[in-house]
Structure formats: C-alpha cells, structure tokens
Amino acid sequence: HVRSRRQRQMCIRDRERRASIMQIPIIIDTDPGIDDAAAISLALCHSKFDVKMISTVNGNVGIEKTTANALKLKQFFNSNVQVHRGASKPLLNQIVDAAPVHGESGMDGYQFPPVSESDLTSVHAVEALKNLLINSEEPITIVAIGPLTNIAILLSSYPEVQNHIKEVIIMGGSTGRGNVTPLAEFNIYCDPEAAQVVFNSGLPLTMVGLDLASKAMFTYDFVKSFKEVNETGRMLYNLFQHYRSEDFDIGVKVYDVFTILYLLNPQSFIVKEADVQIELDGKYTKGATVVNFNSQYPNCSVVLSPIGSEFKDIFLSSLKNCK
C-alpha cells in the first residue's frame, strides 16, 4: 500500500495550507523524556494545534514513569487533554531505557507537584486511539515521539483506522550513524519490529531523525536565552541542565521538539523522499534505519536539516505562547 510520490507531496502542501488557516488535530504518542517534554509543551500551548489525546509508551523510562511524566505536564499546563497508558514493553525486544540520559524519573531537573492516578484515563491507549480515530470527523495526525509499539499494535489490530490517519510524524531513525548503537537510533532500537510495521503501513510518513537535531543543536547560549521567557521556559531550562544527550559539552540535541517545529513550518527544513526499512536480524545493526534515497518506491519523507537558523525563531515564538 505504498503511497505515490504525488500523494505525499500533496499531503505536505495540504499540511502547509492547513497550518496557515486552522488548527491541526494531533495525537501525541510519547515516552517522556526531557525532549518529549519540550515537544509536548509547545503542542499543548500553540494555537495551531488541537491535541486530542496523549498516549504513553515504554521507552526512555518504564511505562509507569512515562505515564506519570505525561500527567505532570498535563497538570503543569492545566490541560484537559486525556492521557492514556499504553504498551509496557516492546513487541519482541528486551526493554531498554535511557535513564542515564533523562534521569531516574525521566524528567529530572524540575520539581513537579505530585500527580494523581485519578487523572489517568482507564482505557488502554491502543483502544483509545482506535475509538478516537474512527469517530473523528476529520483525519488526525499522529506525532510519534517514542518507540512505535502503540502505533504498530493499533495498525495491526484495527487496520480500519488507516483511513482516519492524516499522517504519522515520527521522531526516530537516522540516515547514518546511531545514538544507542553505532547504527541504530534509540526509538527505533527499542522496538524495531514495531517500526517495521509502521514504516510499511502505506500511511504518509515523515521521519524526523538524528540528522536534523545534529544539525540544529540547542547551544547553551540558546538554552539560556529562554530561561527568563516564562514559567515554561524556566521549566525546560532546568530539565535541559540534566539532559545528557551526545556532545553535551557543546549543547543539547532536543530531538522530539523538531516534530512540532516541522509541523509549524515545514518550509524551514530540507526534506527528501526515501524508502526506509528497519534492520531486524543483524548482529551489530539491529534497529538501524536503512534509508534509500534512490528508490522508485519511497515510503517516507525524511527531514534532513534546517534551512538556516529559523528553527530557533520558531521555537522561541512558540515558547512565548506557553505559560
């Protein structure tokens, strides 16, 4: 069910048009995570987005902690968005976490008030995703910024939802080196089998991988610049002080936030179409994204780099919408 090049180009043009005139309905599937917190903050506060729900998945830390972190952000912003707990483990892979990067809680560095389990909706995330999508009057964009376990289970269990998904924006993968093994990016490595399901679903996909954040580093001077913007800026500043991404001595790579920045202004980024497949069997390469830009049958748009430094202005202007 591979979509044609023309269909994907039409999807991008339609996204640009919609973003300029109306809200974009989105679902955030996430494993918060410090960089997830930045993405969720901008999405919940920006007038361009209508966040329909947040679904959580095991990833940066365990499902109980990622879910608690989503609830902390919901409470921080006094949001009414529903939070649904999702998959607690990968489809087949052993559980991997990134506590050394994000801290033991997943969002170390800022003291959030305690949250109540009563704020958590009881319906499992996959069921909630299905119910929301099939009852929506318009297709919804899924912003997947964690391992793709929930999305793979959704598509495998309820294939009828595909017609209700506008597109899937994925934070994951790389056209070159990895960040958890030499060739694998963390979100894909955590559940490569789930990623393979999603990348071969036939849905319009956009991959926002390591390439982009590596070329759009949040330098320490830039991070300091939003410390005094507002309460959200202070919260993110404190989180980033505990965020141990690669090249920490230079700055931080805030991977997940670029899904939101890209949706806000896709014209500010260089994008190429490619066929993306996931290595499942390699002893040293499992979880690698094999990206073929020469394929006649691309299944994905790959965001490679920003055009100039406009991403900083988009981030700061979006941050000013927050509390």
Side-chain angles (χ1 to χ4, degrees), residues 47-319:
S47 61
K48 291 295 184 183
F49 296 110
D50 177 12
V51 183
K52 297 292 188 180
M53 68 172 277
I54 294 174
S55 52
T56 63
V57 66
N58 178 88
N60 285 319
V61 286
I63 189 64
E64 298 300 327
K65 292 179 181 178
T66 62
T67 303
N69 290 341
L71 292 173
K72 290 174 185 177
L73 292 167
K74 172 183 176 175
Q75 178 174 275
F76 181 88
F77 291 109
N78 298 311
S79 172
N80 293 321
V81 66
Q82 289 193 344
V83 176
H84 295 264
R85 182 193 285 115
S88 61
K89 60 182 180 180
L91 296 182
L92 298 175
N93 221 28
Q94 295 296 315
I95 290 177
V96 181
D97 74 29
V101 176
H102 297 268
E104 185 63 29
S105 72
M107 292 197 317
D108 281 6
Y110 186 85
Q111 191 64 43
F112 292 92
V115 292
S116 171
E117 284 290 315
S118 63
D119 290 334
L120 180 65
T121 310
S122 60
V123 179
H124 190 278
V126 173
E127 292 296 320
L129 286 164
K130 184 260 291 185
N131 294 335
L132 176 59
L133 287 164
I134 64 174
N135 289 298
S136 176
E137 295 182 357
E138 60 179 327
I140 298 176
T141 295
I142 296 176
V143 180
I145 54 178
L148 292 166
T149 315
N150 287 335
I151 311 305
I153 296 173
L154 173 72
L155 297 177
S156 300
S157 302
Y158 304 109
E160 65 270 22
V161 303
Q162 291 211 182
N163 291 333
H164 302 272
I165 298 173
K166 180 71 177 178
E167 60 181 323
V168 185
I169 310 295
I170 299 166
M171 191 285 116
S174 168
T175 65
R177 308 297 285 181
N179 66 345
V180 64
T181 73
L183 293 177
E185 179 275 331
F186 179 81
N187 282 346
I188 305 299
Y189 181 79
C190 281
D191 199 340
E193 287 79 13
Q196 183 72 343
V197 169
V198 176
F199 275 93
N200 287 281
S201 65
L203 287 167
L205 305 176
T206 297
M207 183 178 104
V208 179
L210 300 184
D211 309 86
L212 178 53
S214 297
K215 296 174 183 175
M217 184 87 74
F218 277 37
T219 64
Y220 288 117
D221 286 342
F222 181 56
V223 171
K224 289 178 184 177
S225 73
F226 56 76
K227 179 181 180 181
E228 302 301 330
V229 170
N230 50 28
E231 189 175 348
T232 305
R234 288 190 293 276
M235 180 265 287
L236 294 176
Y237 172 83
N238 285 318
L239 290 181
F240 288 167
Q241 302 312 298
H242 289 74
Y243 183 41
R244 297 297 186 264
S245 65
E246 314 96 298
D247 303 317
F248 185 72
D249 55 331
I250 301 172
V252 292
K253 297 175 182 176
V254 191
Y255 302 108
D256 293 340
V257 78
F258 283 99
T259 57
I260 300 301
L261 300 183
Y262 174 72
L263 277 171
L264 284 171
N265 197 351
Q267 304 96 318
S268 296
F269 300 90
I270 295 172
V271 183
K272 290 182 67 175
E273 292 186 339
D275 177 63
V276 180
Q277 300 298 324
I278 312 302
E279 175 57 59
L280 301 180
D281 302 316
K283 180 178 179 181
Y284 300 108
T285 58
K286 185 173 183 178
T289 40
V290 183
V291 181
N292 181 6
F293 289 113
N294 296 317
S295 173
Q296 296 183 17
Y297 305 100
N299 63 354
C300 185
S301 299
V302 180
V303 186
L304 293 172
S305 65
I307 298 173
S309 60
E310 190 174 353
F311 72 92
K312 295 181 179 180
D313 296 329
I314 302 170
F315 178 87
L316 286 175
S317 63
S318 300
L319 180 62

